[in-house]
Amino acid sequence: MVSTVRAVSESVQASFLGDGEVVLSGVSGIRNAKSGDLVFVEDEKSLAPALASDAAAVIAGAFAAVTSPAKPLIIATQPRLAFARAAKFLSPGRDHRPGVHPTAVVHPSARLSPGVAIEACVVIGEGVVIGPGTWIGSGTAIADGVSIGRDCRVHANVTIYSGAQIGDRVVVHAGAVLASDGFGYVQDKTTGRREQFPQIGRLEIGDDVEIGANSTIDRGALEVTSIGRGVKIDNLVHIGHNCQIGEDVVIAAQTGLSGSIVIEKNVVLGGQVGIGEHARIEEGVMLGGQGGVLPNKVLRGQGVAFWGTPAQPVREYLKQLAVLTRLAKRKGKVVL
Amino acid sequence: MVSTVRAVSESVQASFLGDGEVVLSGVSGIRNAKSGDLVFVEDEKSLAPALASDAAAVIAGAFAAVTSPAKPLIIATQPRLAFARAAKFLSPGRDHRPGVHPTAVVHPSARLSPGVAIEACVVIGEGVVIGPGTWIGSGTAIADGVSIGRDCRVHANVTIYSGAQIGDRVVVHAGAVLASDGFGYVQDKTTGRREQFPQIGRLEIGDDVEIGANSTIDRGALEVTSIGRGVKIDNLVHIGHNCQIGEDVVIAAQTGLSGSIVIEKNVVLGGQVGIGEHARIEEGVMLGGQGGVLPNKVLRGQGVAFWGTPAQPVREYLKQLAVLTRLAKRKGKVVL
Amino acid sequence: MVSTVRAVSESVQASFLGDGEVVLSGVSGIRNAKSGDLVFVEDEKSLAPALASDAAAVIAGAFAAVTSPAKPLIIATQPRLAFARAAKFLSPGRDHRPGVHPTAVVHPSARLSPGVAIEACVVIGEGVVIGPGTWIGSGTAIADGVSIGRDCRVHANVTIYSGAQIGDRVVVHAGAVLASDGFGYVQDKTTGRREQFPQIGRLEIGDDVEIGANSTIDRGALEVTSIGRGVKIDNLVHIGHNCQIGEDVVIAAQTGLSGSIVIEKNVVLGGQVGIGEHARIEEGVMLGGQGGVLPNKVLRGQGVAFWGTPAQPVREYLKQLAVLTRLAKRKGKVVL
């Protein structure tokens, strides 16, 4: 979409300096900016290269407002945030034409709201409910009874089992599997063989959640797995049955949560973290990449960073690594 | 399905106390039990809450048989197992109507047994054989020559390459990929470039195996990858070419096995375990989450727990962690 | 395909000893060789079992040329490489019949070259370009504007988002997701909520790349994610936005790269490796399984092996493990 510095400024509730009629057609990084592009800077030292680039205009913080700009400047309290919003304003995403592709297979009892777009080869089961403006990518399979809110984007080749209830503005990336059976068995003591423990609970996903490509989230065994509003989940993440993930939690790629874990709000989990069953990660904890938490453990401390397996406050863990390095560096044989 | 305390007791070969005609319509956890639900308890202290819940009846062990029950009690030697079986008796799973959906693409040479249900947009190749009662979920692709046994459930968007032979009552969750090419290359010493080593072997999966969502199992290079009867594999697990997995092995989520590994029967692997090529994990070993085993290593010991990377008997590993913690806690500079 | 010792020798540019008219119909391992099979040996001690097997002929190195062979011998400088090439010569892979399956949904603006084979239920978007001889497996979804080179094999149920440009002879295994949105958000300081940073860059994949089943590669945020010629990626690997992977890099299963990482050419990453954002792994480094690299770190050294988290040269890391083991083995309480 083509717009102007003035219109973009208004859309992100910022002021601007310079010519408001300069045309903007997209966003880019400073290095690959082309004519018509909007770029952003967060500090003084990036401002000069931004102004020297081929970009049409620059979003910057108040620090830039004193200069006499070579290009129009959009002045925002949070330049990165304003840039993200400007990008969405300029490129609101592919316009998915509402309607059901003729190759899609939609059960007659499914209730599709106005503005829903169902791509080719999608399969939608009995009693499914889909809110207005939601887009379902090709090849996705949605089982009986699933409900999906409004303005969601469910990409291609996703599978959603029965028992999932999904909020508004949720994004599910390709290949993700939602509400699959949890991993729970009962071993028969006489034969040693395992039989499945019932995996018949539900999965509830709040508004504004994003779920990465090929991630898997199991439904509850008897109760519910819940993912709070605003949770962001990267690719190839696993979340087991009965987990409770609080609001605004961030989970990086390939992290795995076994069953019945509580992650309180605003927790940040790095990549490849592993957490044992029934553990509890309290509000605001940060856990570094590859960290491991044993079953039933509790990590606590607003803003406290943990690392290692078993996870410890990062300062203590670094001390241990340092001691070990020093010990191993002693010349000759270590005699203790 | 609606049944009675008497009928459920008989179906799980247990006795009951109290009114056998009480109606049961499902199972649940104690906390969310509704009228008509069956719950279970494994110890005395859970019995009172179970009896106080809205559940219609309770499965319990012999310890409960002396009480004069406020609700009907089903008395079982293994209450959890009886509960799992009662759940299956009461909810035998969605009844998949036999037949081939008109949008499925089935090669004319494929042999589908009576009672097979093929959902929408499934693609079935030349010479595929599918046993009676097996259900294939929508969007699943089954390549030429694959054979699948009876009463299997292959969920949506699964891909099965040529060379797979699957037993009876196998469950494959959505997005899993079976019999894909192994990761083997030959580097040309003159150019430094890699060419694929032949990946033309087979994948054999025994009866009663369960494979989690988005897991991947490669076929053998020249020979066979085999998964023994009763093996349970969680989500996002990787099993490389030529691995031999014994009966009743349990593999938790995100664990990865590189090539030519032997896992003997009854081994339990925690989540995010990594095992190097040609390693051997002997019968009954348990390996804790995130544990790592180097190539060619052997872990042995019925019921022995290992942990850490490289994996060690857990007692020794915990001693090491304790020593390190103590060293790092010494005040001031550590002088050794 | 049925051929002869003479023809196979010529195809792999090797000489042979013995009867060149012996018929060859496939390749196998020595243990399961059947009549008509070609096997290979790389050392003297494997030669006798190979000659004693049911194989029709043996590929070997110059060391075997002095013997008076019981079977025809193909003598190659690199026997394993010659074997890989002979396998391809004898079994050039399933012949995918060119054409578009009637259930595929191909946008009228897509340009399919001669010899392209599009399987059932494939969905191809606007402006997609596919080179000659490329095969697209069933259920795969290719979004608007994607370009794919010649002689590629894209297996079933793959998803390729807009913004991907794929070279020649690339193999993409089932369930892989290419050019998905990167994991980048901006947190609004006033509300604490996260909004997506623009993920509108591209993904460029060079010639002769292989991508494993269920792996995920994100496109650039504003710029490009690039995968160099000849890179081999195993199953369930994650590559974040803006990563630059050099030529001939090998990445084993379940390894994860967060954003903006540079991996120079000829690097080998073991399985379950995790690398933090903006790290740089220089040419020829090897990083052992489960190794971890912190954000912004640089690993360097042609042929140097690293291991552990944080990754260190393997000799130093092993010394540390040894010291720790010794400390923990001291009898009684450790007094320091």
Side-chain angles (χ1 to χ4, degrees), chain A residues 222-223, chain B residues 28-34 37-42 45-55 58 83:
Chain A
L222 297 176
E223 311 198 347
Chain B
S28 72
I30 291 171
R31 280 184 297 179
N32 63 346
K34 304 178 309 294
D37 279 348
L38 177 65
V39 300
F40 81 106
V41 299
E42 295 186 284
K45 77 170 203 287
S46 307
L47 186 58
L51 291 173
S53 74
D54 287 342
V58 180
F83 179 75

Side-chain angles (χ1 to χ4, degrees), chain C residues 67-112:
Chain C
T67 64
S68 165
K71 295 180 197 297
L73 288 177
I74 296 175
I75 305 296
T77 323
Q78 301 185 59
R80 175 179 285 265
L81 183 64
F83 179 75
R85 290 175 176 170
K88 200 154 273 179
F89 179 77
L90 288 166
S91 304
R94 194 190 136 188
D95 202 24
H96 298 293
R97 203 177 321 154
V100 176
H101 192 276
T103 61
V105 177
V106 180
H107 193 278
S109 67
R111 300 207 317 267
L112 308 186

